[in-house]
Amino acid sequence: AGVAFKTAQKEVYGERFSGQEPKDFLPRVHEALPMLRNPAVERAVTEMRKVVNAIVREYGNPYEIRLEMARELRKPRKEREAITKTNRNRQREREQAKARILQECGIQNPSHDDIEKALLFEECGGRCPYTDRPIEFGALFGDSQFDVEHIIPRSRYPDDSFQNKTLCYHEENRNMKRGRTPWEAYDSNEERWSGILERVKKFNNPGKLLRFNLRTQEELDAFTDRMLNDTRYTTRLAADLLGTLYGGRDETLADGTKRRAIFATSGQVTATLRRVWGLESILREALASSNGESRGKPRTDHRHHAIDAIVVALTNETTVKLLSTAAARAPEWQFGSRVFRPIESP
């Protein structure tokens, strides 16, 4: 009929996230989630239920709940083992990149950004994916003609991770690509666009190829919504169970309006805000990182969970919007967390 999907969904199924009868305590998991069959997920959500109900008994119903499910709870054992193996491989690649920088460029203590450039160089095979210009390894450091470019601009998607970066000839980045997605910048030239995609396919990185292939605003909005708001299976079920305290994730107020009571954030947002607000330094002041890293979250003991809990408690839609707004005000060729400095500390 030509109506928006959300409108059609509401007409057929009613309000998905509100309109139910609020409960005084979280019900038993199988009562609220009768279709749940995964024992690991059931255990995770059951443990969460115990904690929340204890809080409700002591302090009453929370005004709102912000959550991020721990990675080890939302992934099966084989997937956790695969992640551990991948992390070991990445650490080995970083060590190899450091050795190459020392050998070919004489840089004794390369920075995090230097190592990242070396890894991006390896991934793209020493050629700019946008222009096919050759890149000399030694020319990456210092006053380079190549930028570390964000595939999806940070003004549209506040992601400063390796998965959202590649190398780009600096004039191409600043004059042609600018603050646009690859499709927006190059779709008018079919031959050139095909060449870009063929080079990116050789990265052997499906996540980056997906970013390059995002075309419509709807696709981009859906992608950023998935990445910024945790919509994975365990988290969705946890949010549905928590929503029973409010009659749904969106609480219906006395005047008939609705407000978001349950906000599920992603680990990516937590990591970005933790770095921007300087909270990782608290852990280093207490005890140096066991792996000697100068960036990232030291995991010498379990205190990093407390820091993450603080960040999750401070995260909502407004905070995420501030990330995008701060990125939009900064030049696209600035690197690192500097682009997010305008965000006020909590």
Side-chain angles (χ1 to χ4, degrees):
V3 301
F5 171 75
K6 291 294 183 183
T7 303
Q9 183 185 46
K10 181 178 178 181
E11 289 175 356
V12 175
Y13 298 107
E15 290 284 358
R16 181 181 176 191
F17 296 126
S18 65
Q20 305 160 26
E21 188 67 30
K23 297 184 180 298
D24 295 330
F25 295 95
L26 296 183
R28 292 183 180 277
V29 172
H30 276 296
E31 178 186 331
L33 308 169
M35 302 300 292
L36 176 57
R37 295 291 183 270
N38 185 313
V41 173
E42 181 182 356
R43 174 67 183 273
V45 177
T46 298
E47 293 302 315
M48 181 198 72
R49 173 181 175 264
K50 293 177 184 177
V51 174
V52 173
N53 278 344
I55 292 171
V56 172
R57 286 189 200 97
E58 184 73 19
Y59 301 104
N61 223 21
Y63 176 71
E64 64 186 23
I65 301 176
R66 304 178 188 175
L67 77 149
E68 179 197 322
M69 296 297 281
R71 182 181 295 113
E72 58 268 22
L73 291 181
R74 64 177 179 241
K75 293 185 182 296
R77 181 175 180 178
K78 286 187 177 180
E79 193 169 347
R80 296 199 307 269
E81 291 172 349
I83 290 171
T84 300
K85 182 179 179 181
T86 299
N87 288 340
R88 288 198 195 103
N89 290 338
R90 286 176 178 168
Q91 184 59 33
R92 186 161 52 248
E93 290 169 356
R94 291 178 63 82
E95 293 301 324
Q96 291 171 350
K98 288 171 67 174
R100 182 174 182 181
I101 293 171
L102 175 61
Q103 180 180 356
E104 297 188 24
C105 308
I107 301 175
Q108 291 282 345
N109 296 300
S111 67
H112 177 276
D113 289 343
D114 289 338
I115 295 171
E116 185 176 65
K117 288 178 186 178
L119 293 174
L120 291 171
F121 175 90
E122 292 289 340
E123 181 179 64
C124 69
R127 303 196 76 86
C128 169
Y130 293 102
T131 64
D132 202 27
R133 280 175 174 258
I135 305 171
E136 291 185 17
F137 184 78
L140 286 174
F141 314 102
D143 188 16
S144 173
Q145 288 189 320
F146 290 87
D147 290 338
V148 175
E149 188 269 331
H150 288 76
I151 300 165
I152 302 177
R154 284 177 293 188
S155 57
R156 313 275 287 281
Y157 173 49
D159 178 13
D160 196 43
S161 72
F162 185 87
Q163 277 296 89
N164 195 39
K165 294 177 181 176
T166 189
L167 295 176
C168 182
Y169 181 59
H170 66 308
E171 290 187 2
E172 184 73 13
N173 182 30
R174 303 173 193 187
N175 299 327
M176 178 62 186
K177 170 67 163 53
R178 301 199 305 269
R180 297 184 289 177
T181 67
W183 170 256
E184 289 169 344
Y186 299 101
D187 74 301
S188 60
N189 188 327
E190 185 175 346
E191 182 179 354
R192 186 168 184 188
W193 175 244
S194 298
I196 290 171
L197 289 184
E198 285 303 312
R199 288 188 285 274
V200 174
K201 287 176 184 176
K202 295 177 183 177
F203 289 8
N204 195 27
N205 186 330
K208 288 194 178 180
L209 183 60
L210 172 64
R211 285 167 165 81
F212 269 85
N213 264 315
L214 292 173
R215 302 190 177 194
T216 67
Q217 186 61 45
E218 281 189 351
E219 288 178 349
L220 181 61
D221 290 344
F223 174 79
T224 55
D225 184 64
R226 287 196 305 272
M227 298 300 288
L228 296 178
N229 300 293
D230 197 336
T231 58
R232 282 166 284 198
Y233 181 61
T234 306
T235 307
R236 288 204 315 271
L237 294 179
D240 286 345
L241 181 63
L242 291 168
T244 60
L245 293 174
Y246 308 92
R249 294 193 216 176
D250 297 334
E251 182 182 29
T252 303
L253 304 178
D255 61 359
T257 60
K258 295 180 176 62
R259 70 170 189 91
R260 176 61 54 89
I262 311 295
F263 183 73
T265 187
S266 72
Q268 177 179 287
V269 170
T270 302
T272 300
L273 288 171
R274 187 182 63 234
R275 185 174 71 249
V276 168
W277 285 334
L279 295 177
E280 290 169 355
S281 63
I282 295 174
L283 293 168
R284 290 198 183 84
E285 290 168 4
L287 193 63
S289 175
S290 59
N291 61 9
E293 285 286 335
S294 61
R295 281 183 59 175
K297 177 171 60 177
R299 289 177 169 83
T300 307
D301 58 25
H302 291 291
R303 282 175 291 189
H304 63 271
H305 292 306
I307 297 296
D308 279 355
I310 291 169
V311 176
V312 171
L314 293 166
T315 303
N316 58 15
E317 287 97 333
T318 301
T319 317
V320 173
K321 179 66 168 63
L322 286 174
L323 286 175
S324 297
T325 302
R329 290 200 299 262
E332 188 57 30
W333 52 88
Q334 285 189 3
F335 309 132
S337 61
R338 286 176 294 170
V339 71
F340 297 121
R341 279 185 180 173
I343 296 177
E344 184 178 352
S345 296

